[in-house]
Amino acid sequence: MTSSDSAQNAPAKAPAKDPWDLPDVSGLVVGVLGGTGPQGKGLAYRLAKAGQKVIIGSRAADRAQAAAEELGHGVEGADNAETARRSDIVIVAVPWDGHGKTLDALRGELAGKLVVDCVNPLGFDKKGAYALKPEEGSAAEQAAALLPDSRVAAAFHHLSAVLLQDPAIDEIDTDVMVLGEERADVEIVQALAGRIPGMRGVFAGRLRNAHQVEALVANLISVNRRYKAHAGLRVTDV
């Protein structure tokens, strides 16, 4: 058989997958750890308003239930452990100073789950906000180290809690940088971001690149203070 015959008989190469061909995530239950804080509460509100089933978690179940009733749209409240157990995807929106302790305590409940970390390690002094660098490299990498039986992604870092919680705003004009090790997991998170009107999830690399994404929030805080804004990000030409 000649080389030209071999070429003709070779199986056709599959066309490249459309990067915007994302899965249907509408049936997944989303849990939000730290769902009573501004960022977590805002994300829970937007996702639930878009039709997602959402459970918000807190260390105190009654506090989570009170916040859930305030949000409406079918949101439920529970303690963090129950929230983790009942959810398909768990968004981590706890304060940085409680990040490691919270995740370590929920290692069992989060096993087998897709965990989406949106925590920004920041410090503040009289000059303003500045980025901290955890020993593991980033909050997301700390999550991955603490949760060896979970699939960890990083996203939703650059969203304004003020805009997320404002019922008068119909669309959130921003892109969401999504980082992760597995394409399927990243695409689930991208699709979840895309459930919120005006929002788009964009792949931004593996978890080793999470530090600069988390750190950029310090710059956005400076932008917001100078221009009295609620700045987000848009990625051009994609």
Side-chain angles (χ1 to χ4, degrees):
M1 182 180 292
T2 66
S3 58
S4 60
D5 291 335
S6 298
Q8 289 175 357
N9 294 330
K13 188 175 181 181
K17 184 179 183 297
D18 180 353
W20 298 111
D21 180 14
L22 301 173
D24 178 8
V25 298
S26 59
L28 299 180
V29 178
V30 178
V32 184
L33 304 181
T36 59
Q39 192 81 353
K41 199 172 181 180
L43 272 170
Y45 170 67
R46 289 292 163 177
L47 289 169
K49 189 177 180 182
Q52 207 76 34
K53 176 59 185 173
V54 177
I55 306 170
I56 58 175
S58 177
R59 286 177 296 179
D62 57 349
R63 187 179 175 200
Q65 289 160 1
E69 288 178 12
E70 181 184 340
L71 291 175
H73 297 286
V75 176
E76 294 184 43
D79 64 34
N80 283 332
E82 182 181 345
T83 298
R85 281 193 298 268
R86 293 178 55 196
S87 301
D88 301 304
I89 305 173
V90 178
I91 298 174
V92 182
V94 299
W96 166 241
D97 58 6
H99 181 264
K101 185 177 179 180
T102 299
L103 295 184
D104 190 46
L106 297 172
R107 183 176 301 184
E109 289 83 357
L110 291 170
K113 309 283 184 177
L114 174 54
V115 177
V116 185
D117 203 297
C118 70
V119 175
N120 303 303
L122 297 175
F124 295 86
D125 60 18
K126 62 184 180 181
K127 295 182 179 180
Y130 60 95
L132 303 175
K133 189 158 188 179
E135 182 180 347
E136 298 85 354
S138 64
E141 288 169 295
Q142 183 183 88
L146 290 170
L147 304 172
D149 299 318
S150 304
R151 295 131 52 213
V152 176
F156 303 116
H157 300 90
H158 306 134
L159 306 181
S160 163
V162 173
L163 298 184
L164 288 174
Q165 293 184 82
D166 188 344
I169 294 175
D170 294 324
E171 295 188 1
I172 305 295
D173 180 23
T174 193
D175 284 334
V176 171
M177 310 285 274
V178 184
L179 303 98
E181 298 303 315
E182 300 295 334
R183 176 177 289 190
D185 292 336
V186 168
E187 290 181 349
I188 288 171
V189 182
Q190 286 181 267
L192 188 65
R195 296 273 288 157
I196 300 173
M199 197 176 289
R200 182 179 66 159
V202 178
F203 171 64
R206 294 179 179 268
L207 288 186
R208 67 181 183 181
N209 294 319
H211 169 66
Q212 59 264 35
V213 173
E214 297 169 0
L216 188 58
V217 174
N219 302 90
L220 290 177
I221 289 172
S222 296
V223 170
N224 290 337
R225 287 182 173 175
R226 174 64 62 90
Y227 299 102
K228 299 187 182 346
H230 302 291
L233 294 179
R234 276 295 187 196
V235 180
T236 63
D237 200 33
V238 294

